[in-house]
Structure formats: C-alpha cells, structure tokens
Amino acid sequence: MSLALNTTRRLRLGHVDLSLIPLGLAGLFLAMLVLLPLGWLLAYTVTDESGALSWTNVVELADTSLFLEPFITTFGIALGVASLACLLAVPLAWLVARTDVPARRLLRGLVMVSFITPPFIGAVAWVLLAAPNSGLLNQYYRGITGAGTFDYLFNIFSAAGIIFVMASYAFPYVFVLAANTLDRMPHDLEEASAILGGGRWHTFRRVTLPMVLPALLAGFIIAFLQAMTQFGTPAILALPAGFHVLTTKIWSLFQFPPKAHLAAACAMPLLLVTIFLLRLEKTLLGRRGYTMVGGKSGSPQLAKLGVWRWPALLLALLLLFVTVLLPNLVLVRASMLRSVSDPWTLETITWANVPLVFGLSNTVGVLKNTLVTGVVSATLGTAFAVLIAYLTARRAVPGHQVLGFLATAPAAIPGIVLGVALFIAYTRPPFQLYGTLWILLLAFLTIEMPPAYQQMQAAFRGLNPELEDASRILGAGRMKSLAKVVAPLLKTSVAATWCFVFIGAIRELSATILLTTSNTKLVSVLIYDLNEGGALGGIAVLGLVLMAVTAVVVLIANRVAHVGVMPDGR
Amino acid sequence: MEVTRRTVLAASTIMGFASAAQAQRPEPQPLAPDLVAAAKKDGKIGWYTADDLVLATKVAKAFEAKYGITVQLERSGAERIYQRIAQEYASNISEVDVATTSDVGHTVSWNANGWLTPFIPAEVTKWPAQAIGSNGLYIVDKFTLVTPGYNGRLVKAEDAPKSWNDLLDQKWKNKLVKAHPGYSGAITNETLALSRTLGWEFYEKLAKQGVLQVQSATDPPMRTAQGERAIMADGAENTSNRLIMEGAPLVLIYPPEGVPVVAVGSVVMKRSQRPNAAQLFMHYLVSPECQAINVANGARSFDPSVTEPANWTHLSKIKLLFNDPNDLAKEAEEIKKRYTKIFGV
Amino acid sequence: MSKLVLSGLTKRYGSHAAVDTLDLTVESGHLVSLLGPSGCGKTTTLRLVSGFAVPDGGSISVAGQVVSSARGVVPPEKREMSMIFQSYALWPHLTVAENVAYGLKLRKLPRADIERRVQAMLDTMQLRRFEARYPAELSGGQQQRVGLARALVVEPKILLLDEPLSNLDASLREEMRHEIRRLHDRFHYTTIYVTHDQAEAMTTSDLIAVMRDGKIEQAGAPDDIYERPETEFVARFIGSTNILRGRRVGEHEADCDGLRLVCESGHWPEDGSAVVSIRPHRITLSGAADGSAPGTVERAIYLGAQRHYIVALDAGPKLQVLASSDVLAHEGERVGLTLPPAHCRALIR
C-alpha cells in the first residue's frame, strides 16, 4: 500500500505523464497534416518549373482568361448562391423554429436528408430536369403550354442554373445555423418586447432580427464559401455552357501538361479570400459555428399562423420537394431508362444501366475504395477530433491553443487548393503517397478536421470535467478515464461527428479529383468520369447506390451509438 | 521484303495512314499456347482506354469470360488518359498494361519517352497495312470517324445541314452540341484535320453559335439522341452507329469537305507488371471475336473477315481526312490551347 | 490514514498567485476545512493536493513522502485519495452500484469482494434500494450520498471534498453536514473540506483554515476562530460582527469616535490604530440610564427566538445587537448598550 513517492525519478515520470505522449504525437501529426501541404503550395507559387525563385506564376495571374474572368464569375455566382440560400433557408428556419406550422419535425428531417445527396449528383439530376431541351421540366412545359420545339422554361447550363443548383445544396447549412440560433434565442426577450407594447413587426425588427442577424450573415458567408470552393457543380454545369469558375480553371491546369506552379498561384487568392471570410464569420458568430441542430429546451412561445398554417406548410413542403426530393426522384427515373429523355413506359424501362455501371470491372473496387476511405477517415478523423478537442478543452498540454488553431485552420483551405497542395506534397519523397488511398485519407482528414473538431469541442464543453477528475482520483489514468467515462458519455456526439466526416468524405470531389488514380478511384470521381462520357443513366444508378450505402452506414452508426446508452432524462 | 509487300498493299487501298519506315519494327508474334497460361498467372490486366464506355465494357467482359483474367478498365478521354499515364509514371505508379488511344500521336511521345514495348500480334499481318501504325509502334485495332449529325425527330431531313459549313447557319444557334479536344482524342483528330481543311475561322464562327460544350466525342450523339440539342457539331461515329442500332432518332451527316478519320491505337507499356496478360489482351483485341464486338457496337474494323452492317455509309462514299501521328504529337498541344481560347473552356 | 503537509505551496496563473506560499498541516485522521470566499485559492489548493495541478513552488507530502513539488507530481490516479465534487460528478451512464464499484474494479479486487464492499457501503449510506437506478433518477441528496459512497468505498488515504453541499437546498444541506461529520467520526479519514459556508465548516471540522488571497489568514479550531479572530476579515467571515475603528489609547483600551472600549484579548496593530470586533449577541441592551454607551434604536426586527436591533450610538458608530426576544425596545427609543471587555477583541488589521 506504499505510495512509493520517495524517488525523484518517480517524480519526473509523473511530471511527464506518459499518457501525454500519444496526445503529443497526435498534435504533431496534425501540424504535419496542415503545414506540409501549405508549405509546398507557397513554395510552388513563388518558384518556376526549375525550382528557381520566380514571380512568373503570380504575374501570369494578370492574364484575364486565366484568372481574372473566372475569379469574377466565381464571385458573382457565389454572391447569388449565398443570397438565394439565405432567402430559402431563413424563412424556412423561422417557420420550423418559431411558428406553429404543422409537421415541423418532418420539415427538419427533410432538410437533413439533403445532406446525404452529394452536390455533384444533384447537379447531374438537375441536368436531367432542366436541360433546356431534354430536361423533363422543359418537356412538361412544352407539353402543357404547347410551346415550340426549341422553347424552354429553364436552362440549367447557365450562371442562373448553377446558382440555383448550388443554393439548393448550400441552403441546409444556412438553415442549420439559422434554426439553431432561433431555437436558442431566449423567448422571453421577444415576450418582453410584446408585453412592453411592441407590435409583432416592431418586435421582429427591433428584437428578433438583431439577434438573428449575425447567424444570418454567417450563414451567408458559409453558403458563399461553399459556392466559391465547389468543383463538381460548376464542372458539370459551367463547362458545357462555355465558361470557367476558379475551381474548374485550377483543375484544367492539371490537364496535360500539368502546370502545378501556376495552379498553386491560382489557388492562393482562393485561400486568402477564404481565410478573410472565415475571420469575418468568426467575428460575427463568436464560437457558435458548425454545431448541429440540437434539441430545444423548454416550450417556446410559437407564433400563431392561424389560417396561414397550412399554406405555409405547403410552401415549405414545395420548397423541400423541389430542392430535395425532385432531384432524387429523377435519378430513380433515369436509372431505369436507356436514354434519359425517353418517356417512362413499360417498353422503355430497362436494367441496362446496372450492368453498364457494374460491368465496369472496377466499379465494385471503386465502391470498396469509397467505403474504406469513408469509414477509415471517419474513424480516424473522429478519433483525432476527440483527442484534440480533449487537449484544448482540458488545456491538457502546453500549447493547446496552437493545436486548436491547427485543427480549425484547414477550414480556410478550399478542397481544390488542398488537392493541389497535397498533390505537390505527396508526389515526392519522403511521402510518396500519390496513387495510394493514404493521400485521399489525408485529404479527407484535413478537410473534415475543422467541423469534426468543433463538434467534439462543443461536446467536451458540455461535459463537466469533474466527471473525468472523479475517475482519475479513484485510480484510473488519463487514457483509461477517457475510455471508461468520457467516451461513453460522448457516444452520441462521437457518432454524429463520425457520420459528419463520413458523409463529408463521400461528398468530396474537388480535392479527390486531383488525387485519385485508376486504382484508387472513388465513386465521386467515377461519377465525374461517367458525366464526361455522357453516361447519365449510369450516373443515376451509381448515385442512387452511393446514397443508399451512405444512408445505411449512417443508420448503422447511429444504431451502434444508441445501443445501451443512458436512460431517459439525459 | 515484308515491308515492301505492305507498302504496296497500303498504296492499293483507299486508306492512307502514315507508315513511315522505322528500324525498330518488331516481329509479329503468333498467339503461342503457353502465353495463355503465363497470362493467367499474371491474373489481371490494366487497360486504359479511350473507347466508348459501352464498347469497352463489353470487350473487357468478353475477355474476362474467355480467359478468366480480370480487366481493370480505366475509361476516359484519350487526352485524359495521356495525362493520367504521365502523372502516374511521374509517381512511379504503373497500373497501365495496355493503353488504347484515339489520338495515336500519344504513341509517338510515349515511344520517345521509351515507355513502349512495341508489340504486333501476328493476326494483324493478315489485315491491311495501316492496321500497324507508325511502322509497328501501335496496332490500329479499330477506327472510326468524326461526323456531324442531327436528331431526326427535331429536324427534317431537307432542313438538316449537309456540310460542316452548314453548321454555321444562324438557324442552328444554341442548337448545337460539341465535344472537346482537350478530352477526346477523336476531337483532337477532327480539330487538326478541319483546321487544315476549313481553317480556324470555321471554329471561330462555330464558337459564336452557342454550342453546348461537352467533353467526350461519345457524348454529342447521346445528347442529340436525347433531344437536348437538335444537331451535333461533331461526334464519334461508332457511338452514333450504336445508338442508331438501338433505335435512337439520330441521323449522321458525311460532309463533302471531308470526314476526319480516327485511328484507335493500342500499345503495350514497357513498365507493364503483367506483360503476358498484356500481350494476350493485344491478341484478343485483334481477334475476330473482338472485332465482331467492335463492329456490333458501331466501330469500323480492318479485319477483312468482319462485315459492316449494310446500312452504314460505305467508306468509299466518304471523303476521308487523315492525320499523321507525328503531326498529332507535334500539334495537339497548340490545337487544344487555341481551341480553348476560341471556345472559352 | 496519513498526515498531510503543505509547505510553502505556490501556484501562479500568469502573474497572479492563486496560492501563495501556503503552509498547512492536516494531522492524520483530522478534518480540516479550507474556508473562504470565491477566488481565495481554496479550490486551487485542493486541485494541488489532488494532483490535478502542478505547483510552481513548495511541496505537498503525504505520510512524509513528497507527492507534489515544482519538479513533478504524482498523478491523481496514483495518490490513493478520494474526492467529492461540487457537481457530485456521478457518471450518468452507470448505475448507482456501478458508480460505487468503479474504484474497486480499478483496484482489481475479486468480484465477490467488490460486491460485498459495495453492498456494505450502500447500506451505510441507505442507498440499497437505489442501487440499480441511474443518477438522473435520484434526488440531489441521494446523488450526494452516492458521491460519498463512491469516494469512501475505496478506503482512501486522504479524502477531499470540494464544496460538496453547495448544490443542495438549505434543509438538506443542514442534514448532510451532520452526515459528513458522522461519517468522519466513523471512518476517520484525513480530510480536506473546501467550503465558503462558515456554518458548514464549524459543524464538520476539527480545524478551520480561513483563506484569503491565496494565503491562510488564520487557522484554528472552530471556537478558536470564532471567539478569537485575529483579523477583521476572519471576524467578519465567521459569523456577523461589529467592527469599530479608532485609536489605541491604553494598554487594553481603544477610542472609537469617542466610544471607549476595553479589550481583554487580541493583538493590536503596531501603528497605534485600533480595530475592535464585538459580536452582536455579546452586547447587552438596557434602559437609557444603564449601560456605558447611550444611543437610539434605529431598526428593530423580530426574529422569533431573538430580536435584532440596529442602534445608533450618540458617540457616532452604529452597532448591531442581538438580544433575547424578551428584551423589547421600539424604534426611536433611547437605550444604553453594554460592551463587555471580555468580548471586545482587538484585531491586528
């Protein structure tokens, strides 16, 4: 029973706290994850092919068709997307959070469903729906109005079309932020204003709006960033229309002969704008970003819509039908047709697309790659997020602030920029990872670290540190306490983070497109390949399979997390 | 002596692929029985091909069924495949065993890099001489044309364009779909041939027609068949043929100015980890069985034993435009750059 | 049971010393409370003792062996201590029995042994019928007892309590104070008890250490601290008192705004000033003619067992007086106060 404390050796050991070593290594790895590629990116920007210091890359940015035009186009589209996304998301969030509109849970659920659909699949679906001539909606339009053969209502191959498609996949993010804020906003403030005689409009303008405004602006910025950094949608919709955005331009620089130095230079402004906007968002939002919609506490005072309850519901359902369900329905339809513009009759229905997709000998391999990288990056990513969030939330190591910064820093790196950076960093010794799934894993870990870390940090902040102290004082080491007390208590947060990273990895295309080889191809890239080959029916099949698999994995993850966890009241 | 005979043969045909005499022309190899066993030991083969997706899938499946050797199929545009191989080789990845490209200029640069093991399956020696490209650098296991066309449901035959220049008519504005030379080897062939025959003004005017710019040469026939655009400015004839056989309302145009010919060349890569499987696959590509699949899916064949469907326009009725592989190799980059400048993407 | 010695203990956060060269000895088997307002460093001291924090100076030793110094600390899990937390820190995913058994399982005791000891402890704490419940299904008092059971069942060398009752309502708090003392009398663990509630400290402790600004202002037995405070801070913190300021005018005498006070105990400041404490219930209130200090009743509050008066002395100072409820005076009435020298205490600051 002796404590054996009398030797200084023992004291020193105690001071180092052996359990900190794996934690320290995690920190080191994180630093490498972020700093190595960014270092190379910077190095490539200011050097030429021979490796000599040179400004030619930067100077070449002055070429309008190379940089300025796509940059301006990108900016315009991003502004449009952000505005439209806010316009769609905020009223919907208000309806769901602050009114007595029926079926609020269903509405929330439907918004969440749209997270499962990768935007590039959505873009293809919208080609099927709203291509000017073969698009179903335009066909119906002509059928109903009797308009001429070449008349159309929608043209998805246009800046407006791109804005619409991007907005319908960005608005869930804005929705989550806005609904979160509205959920948490103390209701008594509004009530106080009402009691003091403020009319409904006055209350809205003077109390509700100022409180929601920061979240609104932050949502605007998030949608803007998404639109600015996305690759899949513009590649599928803008290139056919004959113009580039910045991401497609950077990607085109990787066509033969690849101009990695120029691509690095092109990526820099994207990086800088992103950093600036994220700083702005942080200022506006404090530290609330990214956290998902949580449960509501108390029963809020809901605005009574009266006779408008049902029309409001209908409108909301219509919005969600158009942005969430319709694209998926059209994929189902297209998956069973040989030519996507055929009418859907017993004669035209075919299974030909299934063997076409799975006849591609590597399709099964590609699905396997996708699942493996998805599951592994979700697992590792969540583990890292837990560790880093733990270190920072508990201030467990000196320099934990640096760790926190490193974990959030990748948020400022757009996927395509990271793709360029990783490509440069890992196609050379000592880390020759190009052509392996490792490089994709690194990409996903880097890209998903910020949201995963922020979610876990929020979870840790909600967990009283005394729960862990209680375990340690009773004799469990730091690691054991993490495993026996912290982990079970954070199970649901961990599962949510896991799903978030998994879905993120499945959805990723902009970095992936630069990093896969034939052996390490992922579904997202295969879909992109199929799109370039015009095999829309095949994309529909593959897209549906991908979404189904994603949904199943997410369901399993949630099931696992909920087995045996805590009784009611927690 | 062999060379002379072939040269004579070539001259006597309507085809005119370049076959400049080169010293390193390899001996044609018959399909040795032990090759099959050795190939099976290799187990699989990486085939990077620019062929039409449907066709490539069928060929790969048939090969797998016949020999039990897995084909890892990487299907993309010829220009993408070219870039991919370069990128993978730069990172010491050699997944590709056999490459099939619709821009045979690539074989010239690959050869210059020392990336090829020239290989000629003996079966090809029974074919016209042009089936052996650049004096043995590659074999032309199929070829096709790049043609305009239109959707017969949307455009009446009498209104339809008859020539390349007809595409520039105002009435087709926003009704055209076109593939990209930065992606498709077939379109690189076309752009080289037509920029010489019609001049770049043709493309400059075409760019003002509001074309729907897709990537693969196999895509315009599909978009046109779907009715997304009434007219395709260019498209791979083989895909069009296949769609027409499947009942698509697609009508091809063979302009009097000439129709670019696309030789589809296959090669064995020197770094191949599975050389036996690669050679066996080359044999398979030129087998009558595979040639039948090619033709059944719309591609044209040199194999005299395979007959084309009667409703295809016979080559003798078409003015054909050929490209020299060396020209392709030399000019492809400039062509793509110029095209991108004109069309914006 | 082990003697615990803190010597010269210092912990800085930036330039601020949360614990400043603190010396304290807890005799084996004693219960010492650290009493003080929030921010006085008592919780930091506890975290130093438990090993969660590393001191910047000084040392902590248990049974003669150093467990913490600036050079290193034995981690909490190796200290064989137990701790009761302000939030109870019961693990919500474990049942009552599992919570209690946790520490024993870590010690790899035989299953039967664990079972026996858990049951015995649950009996002691009257928790037997809740053993299968989850913490969320218990009341605050029950949760507190689970926390105690969990800490005690491992038979720690030292028991640490961090404001254990601050989350309970008043009546329960009262009850638990006695419970804690009862348990201490039974198990006799060397205990440090951190609280800001003087009544809690008085009920439970063998020794009270009043802390201020990271230092111990005064340490002593409860009656010692109460009856013989050394400083105004201690006098005020332990129960209410009247503080009078003035000059020292004799060996045992002070002049506070004309009011002459004789102090039989205490220490005087060296600069000739005087700070005198006298508890309200030590002052006698009588008719205007009696008493040494005349004044007027400003407020009179009836408290049931007692009456609380605020009296404005003619000499100037206002004093609080607690008298038996028999002693009746009305607001505005002239009265005389008696300030017995035995209960007037001179304070050093």
Side-chain angles (χ1 to χ4, degrees), chain A residues 63 65 127 131-135 139 149-150 157 238-244 249 251 254-259 338-342 355-356 358-362 423 427 432 434-436 513-514 516-519 521 525 528-536, chain B residues 44 48 53-54 57 60-61 64 70-76 79-80 82-84 86-88 90-93 95-96 153-155 172 174-175 182-183 211-216 218-219 222-223 225-230 246 333 336-337 340-341 343-345:
Chain A
D63 179 346
S65 75
V127 169
N133 299 300
S134 61
Q139 287 189 36
T149 321
F150 297 109
F157 299 114
L239 296 185
F243 64 89
H244 269 295
K249 194 74 208 184
W251 163 81
F254 270 82
Q255 301 315 306
F256 199 84
K259 303 167 195 71
R338 198 177 291 274
S339 173
V340 293
S341 63
D342 282 351
L356 175 68
F358 287 93
L360 282 168
S361 44
N362 55 352
F423 181 86
T427 46
Q432 206 141 18
Y434 180 74
T436 66
I513 191 94
L514 297 179
T516 52
T517 58
S518 59
N519 238 357
K521 195 175 280 190
V525 176
Y528 187 74
D529 283 355
L530 287 174
N531 180 67
E532 284 189 326
L536 299 181
Chain B
K44 72 167 190 174
Y48 286 21
L53 176 64
V54 174
T57 308
K61 282 285 140 190
E64 283 176 359
T70 313
V71 180
Q72 190 179 324
L73 176 64
E74 173 75 10
R75 180 356 269 189
S76 193
E79 307 303 326
R80 287 274 196 289
Y82 181 59
Q83 183 256 344
R84 167 136 287 171
Q87 194 167 301
E88 294 189 354
S91 298
N92 286 322
I93 298 165
E95 277 303 315
V96 51
R153 277 190 209 137
L154 300 175
V155 180
W172 305 128
N174 294 326
K175 295 187 176 61
Y183 176 93
V211 297
L212 180 68
Q213 179 71 69
V214 296
Q215 299 292 318
S216 170
T218 66
D219 203 1
M222 290 192 250
R223 305 268 182 175
Q226 286 160 23
E228 176 44 44
R229 287 292 191 270
E246 287 170 3
E333 275 325 302
K336 286 186 238 174
K337 212 181 242 173
T340 305
K341 199 127 221 162
F343 282 86
V345 287

Side-chain angles (χ1 to χ4, degrees), chain B residues 8-64:
Chain B
V8 174
L9 250 178
S12 70
T13 67
I14 48 167
M15 307 293 295
F17 289 107
S19 46
Q22 277 170 19
Q24 81 276 32
R25 178 167 182 151
E27 268 312 296
Q29 300 292 323
L31 174 49
D34 53 346
L35 181 64
V36 178
K40 282 186 176 168
K41 209 168 273 170
D42 285 344
K44 72 167 190 174
I45 175 206
W47 183 31
Y48 286 21
T49 178
D51 281 327
D52 178 287
L53 176 64
V54 174
L55 170 61
T57 308
K58 283 181 180 159
V59 169
K61 282 285 140 190
F63 181 76
E64 283 176 359

Side-chain angles (χ1 to χ4, degrees), chain C residues 21-261:
Chain C
T21 55
L22 182 137
D23 295 304
L24 179 70
T25 299
V26 183
E27 293 297 339
S28 178
H30 277 210
L31 193 159
V32 170
S33 34
L34 297 179
L35 179 65
S38 59
C40 71
K42 57 190 192 297
T43 296
T44 305
T45 308
L46 203 69
R47 290 189 68 77
L48 288 167
V49 173
S50 56
F52 287 116
V54 182
D56 295 310
S59 69
I60 301 170
S61 57
V62 175
Q65 289 171 329
V66 175
V67 295
S68 280
S69 78
R71 283 182 307 148
V73 296
V74 174
E77 57 268 25
K78 298 234 155 62
R79 296 194 166 212
E80 295 181 48
M81 295 181 180
S82 272
M83 190 156 171
I84 314 284
F85 296 87
Q86 198 168 354
S87 65
Y88 319 139
L90 300 183
W91 301 302
H93 62 301
L94 301 180
T95 62
V96 167
E98 286 166 345
N99 263 283
V100 176
Y102 187 89
L104 296 175
K105 284 186 184 153
L106 286 171
R107 283 158 180 72
K108 305 223 166 19
L109 296 181
R111 186 185 287 270
D113 208 11
I114 293 176
E115 182 67 11
R116 188 178 48 73
R117 286 168 70 170
V118 168
Q119 289 305 325
M121 184 49 73
L122 289 178
D123 280 339
T124 309
M125 291 296 171
Q126 296 152 28
L127 287 167
R128 191 67 175 262
R129 63 201 172 95
F130 304 119
E131 62 178 326
R133 295 222 193 149
Y134 285 91
E137 300 164 329
L138 301 178
S139 72
Q142 288 160 348
Q143 291 185 12
Q144 179 62 69
R145 286 212 296 278
V146 177
L148 276 166
R150 187 178 67 181
L152 294 176
V153 77
V154 297
E155 297 175 7
K157 292 197 162 171
I158 287 169
L159 180 64
L160 307 171
L161 298 100
D162 184 12
E163 307 253 10
L165 306 182
S166 60
N167 282 338
L168 294 177
D169 58 44
S171 64
L172 215 56
R173 200 149 54 205
E174 177 98 26
E175 185 187 322
M176 285 307 291
R177 269 180 220 157
H178 294 289
E179 180 81 5
I180 286 172
R181 184 66 218 187
R182 185 178 68 80
L183 289 168
H184 185 259
D185 289 340
R186 174 159 170 198
F187 294 108
H188 276 296
Y189 291 118
T190 306
T191 304
I192 294 188
Y193 188 120
V194 160
T195 181
H196 65 269
D197 181 329
Q198 49 102 4
E200 227 171 279
M202 312 246 326
T203 317
T204 53
S205 316
D206 298 315
L207 185 92
I208 296 176
V210 179
M211 283 189 71
R212 180 190 192 188
D213 295 339
K215 290 184 171 25
I216 289 178
E217 183 96 349
Q218 186 178 350
D223 58 339
D224 220 30
I225 294 278
Y226 186 83
E227 299 294 348
R228 286 172 288 282
E230 294 290 348
T231 66
E232 176 181 348
F233 180 80
V234 173
R236 280 194 190 279
F237 203 80
I238 309 285
S240 58
T241 193
N242 293 295
I243 299 291
L244 296 154
R245 295 176 176 282
R247 285 178 302 113
R248 186 178 181 184
V249 291
E251 178 70 33
H252 298 292
E253 200 167 11
D255 180 338
C256 306
D257 299 332
L259 181 68
R260 289 282 178 133
L261 290 171

Side-chain angles (χ1 to χ4, degrees), chain A residues 194-432:
Chain A
I195 287 164
L196 292 173
R200 198 179 286 187
W201 169 242
H202 182 84
T203 304
F204 175 77
R205 200 162 50 87
R206 301 304 294 272
V207 180
T208 315
L209 198 61
M211 294 191 62
V212 182
L213 207 58
L216 193 68
L217 284 172
F220 186 90
I221 290 175
I222 282 184
F224 187 95
L225 281 174
Q226 288 227 340
M228 189 176 78
T229 58
Q230 219 185 84
F231 169 74
T233 306
I236 291 165
L237 299 178
L239 296 185
F243 64 89
H244 269 295
V245 297
L246 214 44
T247 50
T248 57
K249 194 74 208 184
I250 291 173
W251 163 81
S252 78
L253 292 173
F254 270 82
Q255 301 315 306
F256 199 84
K259 303 167 195 71
H261 293 266
L262 204 52
C266 263
M268 270 300 163
L270 207 54
L271 185 65
L272 295 178
V273 171
T274 310
I275 290 172
F276 168 75
L277 287 177
L278 281 177
R279 299 283 332 161
L280 192 65
E281 189 216 343
K282 196 164 184 180
T283 318
L284 288 171
L285 201 58
R287 308 184 60 182
R288 270 176 290 163
Y290 285 118
T291 37
M292 303 291 273
V293 182
K296 297 203 282 187
S297 54
S299 55
Q301 177 83 34
L302 298 177
K304 298 257 183 296
L305 293 177
V307 291
W308 294 105
R309 273 183 85 206
W310 295 100
L313 174 66
L314 269 180
L315 210 64
L317 282 177
L318 185 72
L319 169 67
L320 290 171
F321 176 77
V322 170
T323 57
V324 180
L325 290 182
L326 197 58
N328 290 329
L329 285 177
V330 82
L331 286 177
V332 173
R333 182 185 187 279
S335 69
M336 297 188 199
L337 292 174
R338 198 177 291 274
S339 173
V340 293
S341 63
D342 282 351
W344 216 45
T345 64
L346 274 181
E347 290 82 58
T348 55
I349 287 181
T350 171
W351 294 109
N353 289 312
V354 177
L356 175 68
V357 168
F358 287 93
L360 282 168
S361 44
N362 55 352
T363 300
V364 175
V366 166
L367 271 170
K368 217 177 88 191
N369 284 344
T370 308
L371 266 181
V372 166
T373 44
V375 168
V376 173
S377 40
T379 309
L380 284 182
T382 309
F384 270 119
V386 170
L387 279 183
I388 307 292
Y390 174 79
L391 292 181
T392 53
R394 297 288 179 266
R395 301 160 196 277
V397 283
H400 59 86
Q401 301 97 327
V402 179
L403 277 183
F405 171 76
L406 282 176
T408 42
I413 313 173
I416 195 113
V417 178
L418 186 74
V420 175
L422 289 178
F423 181 86
I424 298 169
Y426 296 116
T427 46
R428 64 179 69 241
F431 303 108
Q432 206 141 18

Side-chain angles (χ1 to χ4, degrees), chain C residues 16 103 105 176 214 225 235 276 314 330:
Chain C
H16 170 72
K105 284 186 184 153
M176 285 307 291
I225 294 278
V276 178
D314 296 347
H330 298 286

